[in-house]
Amino acid sequence: MGFSVLVCDDSNMARKQVLRSLPEQLSANAQLAKNGQEAVELLRSQQFDILFLDLTMPVLDGLGVLQALKEENITPAIFVISADIQPEMQNKVLELGAKAFLRKPVQIEVLNTNLKNHGFL
Amino acid sequence: MSELNLNEDQQDCLQEIINVAMGQASDQLARYLDTFVYLKVPSIEQVSTLSLIETLGSNENSASVVSQGFFGYEGIRGEALLVYKPKDSDRLADLLGYEPDELSVEEQIIDLSSILTTTFLNVFAKQIDNQMSYSAPRLLAGSQSAVSDHLAQQSFNWDLALKVKITYQVTDYSFNCDMILFIPESAINNIKAVINRILEEF
């Protein structure tokens, strides 16, 4: 039984970077969202186990997604992957319920360690 | 003048490299100012060197400009300019005014610009498998002649000017500055080659 995965980033390259870094069983059926709004709509209509979430995005940013999911009690495991590495931002996303903060560009070992720590590998 | 002429994938790749570099530069800025910085996606555009110098000098003393040269491997070199409008350099002075040290505002603007420039370019270079060294940063009078004289003193042609528009929101303040990278043609071709190599890996 596999886990369902959603990758949300406005950059095509960043989405591919995440997909490429994931083990096959997680990347095979992963779905993609180009901004926070798309992600929230997908998360309302289907259940996802894991959300990889960028922060700096047009339309609805990553913090907006975290807030919306919290209010609507939608609870995938959220891994934030962002270039905004300020400690205050890292604390903020953890407070809003993210499992972990990973800095861009995402490193395959770091990603896998985090997935293991949270029981997805 | 040479142009980057990037297709959609190449543009996306360059944008992402710049986002990552900008994120780390902003983190350094936040530490320097001891505050939180709200980040926006930086916009990048290619501009003609001539029109840029004309805009900068549209009226005398219209801006503060800090200039710093950078040198990497394989012909990657250029001059990075940080351009502040008067209201933004005033805001910066207000922010920096809380610093207890005895540096003048000019010295602090130079320091801050150098932190932004070198952090940005170090992270940028790392992502394209390069490494930079730098000349000392200089504060130029923001007049057209000062900027064009400074550029004329450099030993290579400015074939391309890449403008990265940076907007920072710092608590109650927001200030804007433009980071302008002047790059010679050899460097442009190298950057394109590296972008293509990165894209091929996907």
Side-chain angles (χ1 to χ4, degrees):
Chain A
M1 169 73 200
F3 296 105
S4 52
V5 173
L6 178 60
V7 180
C8 177
D9 197 304
D10 56 323
S11 162
N12 180 38
M13 187 176 87
R15 293 193 298 272
K16 283 187 185 167
Q17 255 168 348
V18 174
L19 287 183
R20 238 169 45 119
S21 309
L22 288 174
E24 167 76 24
Q25 72 265 28
L26 290 181
S27 64
N29 295 311
Q31 295 191 54
L32 305 172
K34 290 198 287 289
N35 60 55
Q37 190 59 42
E38 279 188 26
V40 170
E41 280 162 19
L42 278 166
L43 284 152
R44 279 182 188 137
S45 62
Q46 26 180 320
Q47 208 224 306
F48 287 93
D49 300 306
I50 306 172
L51 168 63
F52 295 104
L53 180 65
D54 181 29
L55 291 179
T56 316
M57 289 185 290
V59 192
L60 181 66
D61 66 13
L63 287 182
V65 173
L66 289 167
Q67 267 146 7
L69 297 184
K70 199 171 185 181
E71 279 160 22
E72 298 179 36
N73 205 19
I74 301 172
T75 56
I78 303 167
F79 298 92
V80 169
I81 302 179
S82 174
D84 189 349
I85 57 169
Q86 298 177 74
E88 194 173 330
M89 183 55 102
Q90 301 194 28
N91 292 336
K92 207 176 275 186
V93 301
L94 296 178
E95 274 166 26
L96 282 167
K99 295 282 187 212
F101 181 98
L102 286 62
R103 61 160 63 195
K104 275 186 175 181
V106 68
Q107 304 294 314
I108 190 162
E109 303 78 22
V110 176
L111 190 62
N112 282 325
T113 304
N114 274 282
L115 288 168
K116 269 191 201 119
N117 289 347
H118 292 93
F120 294 110
L121 285 180
Chain B
M1 170 164 145
S2 293
E3 294 192 12
L4 268 173
N5 286 329
L6 299 178
N7 66 30
E8 200 179 322
D9 281 348
Q10 291 168 328
Q11 176 80 25
D12 176 60
C13 181
L14 180 64
Q15 176 82 49
E16 187 62 12
I17 289 172
I18 284 177
N19 287 352
V20 170
M22 210 60 249
Q24 296 202 23
S26 305
D27 180 54
Q28 290 301 318
L29 175 74
R31 286 165 200 266
Y32 187 89
L33 297 174
D34 196 19
T35 184
F36 179 73
V37 175
Y38 182 77
L39 281 189
K40 287 193 179 149
V41 182
S43 75
I44 49 178
E45 60 175 316
Q46 194 178 328
V47 289
S48 109
T49 309
L50 199 63
S51 75
L52 195 80
I53 290 174
E54 280 166 5
T55 326
L56 277 181
S58 53
N59 61 65
E60 288 287 305
N61 303 319
S62 62
S64 307
V65 178
V66 178
S67 184
Q68 188 164 20
F70 56 94
F71 314 87
Y73 307 134
E74 298 177 75
I76 298 257
R77 61 187 303 204
E79 191 78 11
L81 261 55
L82 272 181
V83 182
Y84 305 89
K85 296 211 171 69
K87 77 171 167 50
D88 290 308
S89 51
D90 290 349
R91 281 196 182 142
L92 200 54
D94 286 346
L95 271 174
L96 294 170
Y98 298 110
E99 294 284 307
D101 52 44
E102 310 211 323
L103 290 176
S104 69
V105 170
E106 286 76 19
E107 286 169 313
Q108 296 200 52
I109 288 180
I110 293 173
D111 271 5
L112 183 92
S113 302
S114 188
I115 290 169
L116 282 174
T117 302
T118 57
T119 309
F120 178 90
L121 286 169
N122 283 343
V123 180
F124 185 87
K126 196 174 164 204
Q127 294 178 88
I128 59 167
D129 296 327
N130 212 302
Q131 201 175 348
M132 300 290 183
S133 51
Y134 302 94
S135 66
R138 287 178 54 186
L139 182 66
L140 309 176
S143 65
Q144 184 173 342
S145 55
V147 175
S148 56
D149 286 354
H150 176 71
L151 290 177
Q153 284 165 16
Q154 308 300 320
S155 60
F156 50 95
N157 289 325
W158 310 107
D159 296 306
L160 177 86
L162 201 61
K163 178 153 98 175
V164 183
K165 254 192 161 348
I166 308 169
T167 302
Y168 290 118
Q169 183 94 37
V170 183
T171 53
D172 325 344
Y173 295 88
S174 90
F175 80 86
N176 304 281
C177 59
D178 290 337
M179 180 185 286
I180 297 162
L181 305 174
F182 289 106
I183 305 171
E185 175 146 28
S186 55
I188 302 166
N189 293 332
N190 182 297
I191 290 172
K192 272 177 100 162
V194 177
I195 287 175
N196 286 334
R197 201 174 70 222
I198 293 172
L199 286 168
E200 269 169 28
E201 287 169 12
F202 284 95

